Amino acid sequence: MGYKAKFKVWRGDAEGGDLQDFTVEVNEGEVVLDVIHRLQATQAPDMAVRWNCKAGKCGSCSAEINGRPRLMCMTRMSVFSEDETVTVTPMRTFPVIRDLVTDVSYNYEKAREVPAFAPPEGVAPGEYRMEQVDVERSQEFRKCIECFLCQNTCHVVRDHEDNKTNFSGPRFLMRIAELDMHPLDAHENRAQEAKTDHGLGFCNITKCCTEVCPEHIKITDNALIPMKERVADHYYDPILRLFKRTNK
Amino acid sequence: MTELERHDYDVVVIGAGGAGLRAAIEARQQGKRVAVVCKSLFGKAHTVMAEGGIAASMGNVNSDDNWQVHFRDTMRGGKFLNNWRMAELHAKEAPDRVWELETYGALFDRTKDGKISQRNFGGHEYPRLAHVGDRTGLELIRSLQQKIVSLQQEDKRETGDYESRLKVFAECTVTELLRDGDRIAGAFGYWRESGRFVLFGAPAVVLATGGIGKSFKVTSNSWEYTGDGHALALRAGASLINMEFVQFHPTGMVWPPSVKGILVTESVRGDGGVLRNSDGKRFMFDYIPDVFKDKYADNEDEADRWYTDQGNNRRPPELLPRDEVARAINSEVKAGRGSPHGGVFLDVSSRLPAEEIIRRLPSMHHQFKELADVDITKEPMEVGPTCHYVMGGVEVEPDTAASSVAGLFACGEVAGGMHGSNRLGGNSLSDLLVFGRRAGTGASEYVDGLGDKKPVIAESDVDAASRRAVAEFDGGEAGAQENPYTVHTQLQQTMNDLVGIIRRGGEVEQALVALEELKQRARNIVVEGHRQFNPGWHLALDLRNMLLVSECVAKAALLRTESRGGHTREDHPAMDADWRKQLLVCVLNAAGDGVDVTSKDQIPLRPDLMGLFEYTELAKYFTPGELADVPAKES
């Protein structure tokens, strides 16, 4: 049942660091986070790791496992062969604080730049009426646990640090889509803001975000592409354009 | 001394779960400058783990529902030990708090006529839980988080700074509350990231730190649940009540070992799931206690009819309050009728079509598939009890959430009284909102009432708090040094084995001896490394709180010689009406290194609330003396 696994874990801080080798016990049914916890308890008490619910619901324990962005609590050891070395590194897109913990403040800054839900005027609390089929589109996006793996994997910011200023990333473009599709949101122009303020145009729909989403949200197909279509309707619709021109 | 970051606020809220965020929103809306201090990142609090829903008698699915029915259910669930005023406020205000969430942008599942859908849950007479699939807690936390952001956006428009009136200090742990005389003056803590100290000057502090589950081995609680608020309150001079009442949720995962304790939502049963033992028998019919006999079906046919016709049938016994179901599962396993990995079977696969299961219980489907290789649409789950919630907490004034210490408030799981001896599922999320808001108001009004008489923090107190925070780096007694992880593991084992779901006087006494030993050993804990994001150090600090809170649980559990709700004494199996009248109150002892527990009388139930129950039902819980003035009408 149990076996000794070979692990490489990145240890260090903003100044630098490297992969350190560990040999550690693994038991049946365990996930990568269990093994990291065992390392803390037995070999490296000060190994920094962020985690919380250990059930895939809070999105705290994001890291890269053998190069793939994943939640450590939802990555079972049984997906690796017993002689395979498991390499755990911090998310690459965000600055390292220590070991597996990164500074994810970029995401909170972007979250703050998305205008909040605007309640409809004249509808009292308790009087909101919405059809299930209409709320389901936004509900899919509200499954997001904010693990930021999509932000981490998106090459727009992963490979181009400069883009962080002008690009909010898949998580927050999806948040705009969610509000845009909310049946009662009274804020106007969400699609245009996605383009002008949040860099929707940077996204070239490679679907990497969708691939790494632990909640299996179809970020690209259901949020980003429909937003792009709405932007295209607004800015590039030839008939609308002609109409705009004649009304100048 | 190392550098110290200083901030001044009107109100400091400790904890960023549902209660803390709702309190912060309220205080900010009342014009106060507010800080929210939390151990995790913003939006990660344990509230995200809540699955089933928020209980509120909106009557969207069954229009017979109203606050009185909800109040009655809550009191029954808590075996009438509840603070009745809290239960009353909760039942009355829960619908408004849920509707308010929609104005923050929340998207609940809908009924056919477009209202918020409500589902059945244990102990609730009508479908009452507003929900979003089985991820309601996430929806709650995200809605509150986004409301905070929207208030910050308002402040940005007015002042140019998002954080001018409301700031979240994430990954920051409070280790001490500071006082000026008998009043709260602020809080001292450290940034988890850097280990640097931070001081908050504030006349009002709201504790919203959640529970204590990490003192137990098998628990659905996350690492944050180390009883911080309970311990901070004790050390600041406040009292805790009802600490002997710990809820073991009947259905936690039991296999594989690494996920043991992770919650399996009660919605599985609310939506038709049934419990079976290894003989395939629906055993809950054998465990309906006398006090509930007239409310629960005694045969499968009636139980199954109830899902479609609640007017003419009694409820299935799988939906008894959690304490009853947890004890029943425990008994089945002990009698040798358990599942292969020491639980019982929870089956929804034979009760609902696969697509319906995936629609209603998506995260359960996901969780079992990913973590246990079990497809819940095709086979039963294996489940068993897991430490889930503490009914006990800071003794508060119901209307304002004020503790006995001026300037200290508490709401949510860290507050005691509301749920009596056992909390009903769904009543936690509503509790967070109702009393989070009340704590925000209470704190704001308290600050307004101070005028110029603001408390001042003594520098000597700050020095003392800094010294205590780093003591573990200096090493304990030579040769006796301890590792925090080892002490923690032994604490969890002790509480699990000796003060767990079924308690015996002798074992609880053993636990108290073990706790004293662990307290000694904890003084010799040594932390390796430095202060930057050092989990060993963080655990060492949290352990002090866990040890203090565990002592409260064990001492109160030893004193209460009856069985009620989340406190089962095998050596005192009966419920005792004389004990219903009494609360066990924990305070810090004179030496400051342990707790004293004393008993005090409950405030008698207000006559009009008493009048909501039949005499025959009251007679099951109250002493004849307490019912002397109640007309003994026949039901």
Tab-separated table of all heavy atoms in Angstrom, chain A residues 111-118 175-176 179 187 190 193 197-198, chain B residues 153:
chain	number	residue	atom	x	y	z
A	111	ALA	N	-9.833	42.421	-9.519
A	111	ALA	CA	-11.208	42.208	-9.049
A	111	ALA	C	-11.854	43.540	-8.688
A	111	ALA	O	-13.034	43.771	-8.940
A	111	ALA	CB	-11.211	41.290	-7.828
A	112	ARG	N	-11.055	44.409	-8.123
A	112	ARG	CA	-11.563	45.694	-7.663
A	112	ARG	C	-11.885	46.633	-8.826
A	112	ARG	O	-12.635	47.585	-8.662
A	112	ARG	CB	-10.515	46.331	-6.757
A	112	ARG	CG	-11.116	46.933	-5.572
A	112	ARG	CD	-10.278	46.910	-4.344
A	112	ARG	NE	-8.908	47.354	-4.502
A	112	ARG	CZ	-8.052	47.395	-3.460
A	112	ARG	NH1	-8.447	47.028	-2.266
A	112	ARG	NH2	-6.831	47.789	-3.643
A	113	GLU	N	-11.293	46.360	-9.982
A	113	GLU	CA	-11.520	47.254	-11.122
A	113	GLU	C	-12.773	46.897	-11.922
A	113	GLU	O	-13.166	47.643	-12.823
A	113	GLU	CB	-10.277	47.245	-12.030
A	113	GLU	CG	-9.101	47.965	-11.365
A	113	GLU	CD	-7.769	47.689	-12.033
A	113	GLU	OE1	-7.757	47.071	-13.132
A	113	GLU	OE2	-6.740	48.081	-11.457
A	114	VAL	N	-13.387	45.759	-11.608
A	114	VAL	CA	-14.627	45.402	-12.318
A	114	VAL	C	-15.799	46.051	-11.585
A	114	VAL	O	-16.036	45.748	-10.416
A	114	VAL	CB	-14.830	43.871	-12.341
A	114	VAL	CG1	-16.142	43.528	-13.031
A	114	VAL	CG2	-13.655	43.183	-13.027
A	115	PRO	N	-16.534	46.952	-12.254
A	115	PRO	CA	-17.653	47.592	-11.570
A	115	PRO	C	-18.611	46.550	-10.992
A	115	PRO	O	-18.934	45.565	-11.652
A	115	PRO	CB	-18.339	48.402	-12.678
A	115	PRO	CG	-17.269	48.631	-13.695
A	115	PRO	CD	-16.383	47.419	-13.644
A	116	ALA	N	-19.030	46.779	-9.754
A	116	ALA	CA	-19.855	45.813	-9.039
A	116	ALA	C	-21.221	45.658	-9.689
A	116	ALA	O	-21.630	46.469	-10.524
A	116	ALA	CB	-20.016	46.258	-7.591
A	117	PHE	N	-21.926	44.620	-9.270
A	117	PHE	CA	-23.319	44.413	-9.658
A	117	PHE	C	-24.120	45.670	-9.329
A	117	PHE	O	-24.012	46.211	-8.232
A	117	PHE	CB	-23.891	43.213	-8.898
A	117	PHE	CG	-25.385	43.058	-9.019
A	117	PHE	CD1	-25.955	42.600	-10.206
A	117	PHE	CD2	-26.228	43.358	-7.948
A	117	PHE	CE1	-27.331	42.460	-10.315
A	117	PHE	CE2	-27.601	43.208	-8.053
A	117	PHE	CZ	-28.152	42.760	-9.241
A	118	ALA	N	-24.881	46.154	-10.293
A	118	ALA	CA	-25.716	47.329	-10.050
A	118	ALA	C	-27.157	46.869	-9.882
A	118	ALA	O	-27.779	46.390	-10.833
A	118	ALA	CB	-25.611	48.303	-11.231
A	175	ARG	N	-15.761	37.250	-14.999
A	175	ARG	CA	-16.600	37.966	-14.020
A	175	ARG	C	-17.439	39.033	-14.750
A	175	ARG	O	-18.619	39.212	-14.434
A	175	ARG	CB	-15.698	38.600	-12.956
A	175	ARG	CG	-16.348	39.675	-12.093
A	175	ARG	CD	-17.256	39.116	-11.004
A	175	ARG	NE	-17.698	40.187	-10.099
A	175	ARG	CZ	-18.915	40.285	-9.577
A	175	ARG	NH1	-19.823	39.365	-9.839
A	175	ARG	NH2	-19.230	41.269	-8.766
A	176	ILE	N	-16.826	39.688	-15.714
A	176	ILE	CA	-17.589	40.689	-16.474
A	176	ILE	C	-18.703	39.997	-17.270
A	176	ILE	O	-19.839	40.466	-17.302
A	176	ILE	CB	-16.649	41.489	-17.405
A	176	ILE	CG1	-15.612	42.243	-16.564
A	176	ILE	CG2	-17.446	42.460	-18.280
A	176	ILE	CD1	-14.480	42.846	-17.371
A	179	LEU	N	-21.569	39.163	-14.981
A	179	LEU	CA	-22.431	40.309	-14.663
A	179	LEU	C	-23.243	40.721	-15.879
A	179	LEU	O	-24.413	41.095	-15.770
A	179	LEU	CB	-21.566	41.473	-14.160
A	179	LEU	CG	-20.998	41.266	-12.757
A	179	LEU	CD1	-19.832	42.213	-12.493
A	179	LEU	CD2	-22.086	41.455	-11.705
A	187	HIS	N	-26.000	47.776	-14.731
A	187	HIS	CA	-24.829	48.479	-15.264
A	187	HIS	C	-24.795	48.330	-16.786
A	187	HIS	O	-24.986	47.244	-17.303
A	187	HIS	CB	-23.564	47.882	-14.642
A	187	HIS	CG	-22.298	48.596	-15.007
A	187	HIS	ND1	-21.813	49.659	-14.285
A	187	HIS	CD2	-21.410	48.383	-16.008
A	187	HIS	CE1	-20.686	50.081	-14.830
A	187	HIS	NE2	-20.409	49.320	-15.882
A	190	ARG	N	-20.998	46.694	-20.222
A	190	ARG	CA	-19.995	45.762	-19.696
A	190	ARG	C	-19.101	45.241	-20.823
A	190	ARG	O	-17.890	45.099	-20.633
A	190	ARG	CB	-20.660	44.601	-18.969
A	190	ARG	CG	-21.428	45.042	-17.726
A	190	ARG	CD	-21.107	44.187	-16.528
A	190	ARG	NE	-21.891	44.581	-15.378
A	190	ARG	CZ	-21.370	45.098	-14.251
A	190	ARG	NH1	-20.066	45.262	-14.137
A	190	ARG	NH2	-22.147	45.418	-13.244
A	193	GLU	N	-16.512	47.772	-21.785
A	193	GLU	CA	-15.484	47.898	-20.742
A	193	GLU	C	-14.520	46.719	-20.772
A	193	GLU	O	-13.333	46.875	-20.491
A	193	GLU	CB	-16.132	47.976	-19.359
A	193	GLU	CG	-16.758	49.326	-19.072
A	193	GLU	CD	-17.647	49.308	-17.838
A	193	GLU	OE1	-17.729	48.255	-17.151
A	193	GLU	OE2	-18.277	50.346	-17.581
A	197	ASP	N	-11.196	48.505	-20.892
A	197	ASP	CA	-10.560	48.593	-19.576
A	197	ASP	C	-9.877	47.307	-19.125
A	197	ASP	O	-9.075	47.329	-18.201
A	197	ASP	CB	-11.600	48.964	-18.499
A	197	ASP	CG	-12.303	50.275	-18.797
A	197	ASP	OD1	-11.797	51.022	-19.655
A	197	ASP	OD2	-13.357	50.550	-18.185
A	198	HIS	N	-10.250	46.181	-19.732
A	198	HIS	CA	-9.773	44.909	-19.177
A	198	HIS	C	-9.026	44.032	-20.182
A	198	HIS	O	-8.648	42.920	-19.867
A	198	HIS	CB	-10.936	44.136	-18.554
A	198	HIS	CG	-11.588	44.893	-17.445
A	198	HIS	ND1	-11.120	44.895	-16.159
A	198	HIS	CD2	-12.657	45.741	-17.444
A	198	HIS	CE1	-11.880	45.695	-15.403
A	198	HIS	NE2	-12.816	46.218	-16.163
B	153	GLN	N	-15.350	50.503	-4.028
B	153	GLN	CA	-15.440	51.298	-5.259
B	153	GLN	C	-16.126	52.641	-4.991
B	153	GLN	O	-15.715	53.670	-5.511
B	153	GLN	CB	-16.172	50.510	-6.345
B	153	GLN	CG	-15.332	49.341	-6.873
B	153	GLN	CD	-16.098	48.410	-7.806
B	153	GLN	OE1	-17.329	48.490	-7.914
B	153	GLN	NE2	-15.376	47.520	-8.482
